[in-house]
């Protein structure tokens, strides 16, 4: 049954990305998924449950195992977050992040409480970045810049050319290699 559930979640993400949150209805998602509304309701009893499922899947796929980087060089966690957040949208990872972030937007518009797992993730991430072996202010600046880049891309705000984007990514990456003062 996981296949049908994922098919429905994929369809919900497609509706969000292609048609906007206003069109995220159970009827529309069922039509895009090619299932009956009853089939959708078997997996998700309400629109809120559907969005909660999207957030749950977001957290499964979006989170990096930062604990695996525990013994890596200083700045490794911050650098991993930067590179993951600033992937080109043409890349498979960039497109995946866009699709998953659609769940965040849907959750925020439907019920802000559904964002609790994401808030908890960011709290853990911020603590980990502050302890990343580089200046915590620099690490936080890189994290916030990466977040801004990610959400600018997601919302369709103008981004720098590919060449300038690569230069900016290198500047931010260099900041993750700076030693604490």
């Amino acid at each position: 049954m996981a296949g049908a559930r994922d098919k429905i979640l994929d369809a919900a993400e497609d509706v969000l990305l292609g048609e906007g949150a206003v069109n995220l209805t159970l009827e529309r998602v069922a039509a895009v998924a090619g299932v009956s509304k009853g089939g959708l309701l078997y997996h998700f009893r309400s629109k809120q449950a559907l969005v909660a499922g999207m957030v749950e899947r977001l957290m499964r796929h979006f989170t990096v195992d930062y604990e695996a980087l525990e013994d890596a060089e200083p700045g490794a966690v911050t650098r991993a977050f930067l590179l993951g957040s600033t992937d080109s949208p043409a890349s498979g990872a960039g497109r995946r992040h866009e699709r998953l972030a659609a769940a965040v937007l849907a959750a925020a518009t439907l019920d802000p409480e559904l964002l609790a797992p994401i808030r908890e993730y960011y709290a853990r991430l911020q603590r980990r970045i502050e302890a990343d072996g580089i200046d915590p202010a620099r690490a936080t600046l890189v994290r916030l810049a990466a977040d801004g880049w990610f959400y600018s891309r997601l919302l369709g705000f103008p981004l720098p050319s590919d060449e300038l984007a690569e230069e900016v990514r290198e500047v931010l990456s260099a900041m993750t290699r700076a030693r604490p003062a």
Side-chain angles (χ1 to χ4, degrees):
M1 290 289 181
R5 183 178 168 86
D6 283 334
K7 183 178 178 180
I8 293 167
L9 291 172
D10 289 343
E13 290 173 356
D14 288 342
V15 169
L16 280 171
L17 289 173
E19 303 173 30
V22 71
N23 290 307
L24 184 67
T25 65
L26 296 179
E27 293 80 11
R28 183 67 186 133
V29 171
V32 171
V35 300
S36 68
K37 186 174 176 185
L40 184 146
L41 289 171
Y42 175 80
H43 295 283
F44 303 100
R45 295 177 187 231
S46 66
K47 183 175 173 179
Q48 187 172 4
L50 175 64
V51 174
M54 294 170 72
V55 170
E56 177 187 311
R57 187 163 82 160
L58 166 71
M59 297 313 298
R60 259 194 337 262
H61 293 289
F62 190 62
T63 55
V64 172
D65 182 9
Y66 294 111
E67 302 309 316
L69 298 172
E70 192 69 37
D71 296 323
E73 68 181 65
V77 169
T78 306
R79 200 165 30 262
F81 183 79
L82 167 68
L83 296 177
S85 298
T86 62
D87 259 342
S88 164
S91 76
R95 176 70 177 140
R96 180 178 67 86
H97 287 144
E98 282 183 0
R99 292 178 57 80
L100 295 172
V104 174
L105 295 178
T109 61
L110 183 63
D111 181 356
E113 286 302 311
L114 294 174
L115 293 173
I118 299 167
R119 286 188 190 102
E120 292 168 13
Y121 163 75
Y122 263 92
R124 287 189 311 272
L125 173 65
Q126 182 61 35
R127 286 190 300 272
R128 183 59 189 97
I129 282 176
E130 289 174 11
D132 201 16
I134 61 173
D135 177 47
R138 284 181 185 250
T140 299
L141 180 62
V142 170
R143 192 213 106 194
L144 293 173
D147 277 341
W149 190 328
F150 175 78
Y151 285 106
S152 290
R153 187 178 69 228
L154 180 70
L155 297 173
F157 296 159
L159 291 170
S161 67
D162 289 345
E163 296 80 22
L164 181 55
E166 188 55 39
E167 286 182 49
V168 171
R169 191 178 291 108
E170 286 300 319
V171 167
L172 290 170
S173 184
M175 290 176 70
T176 70
R177 289 179 173 81
R179 300 287 180 215

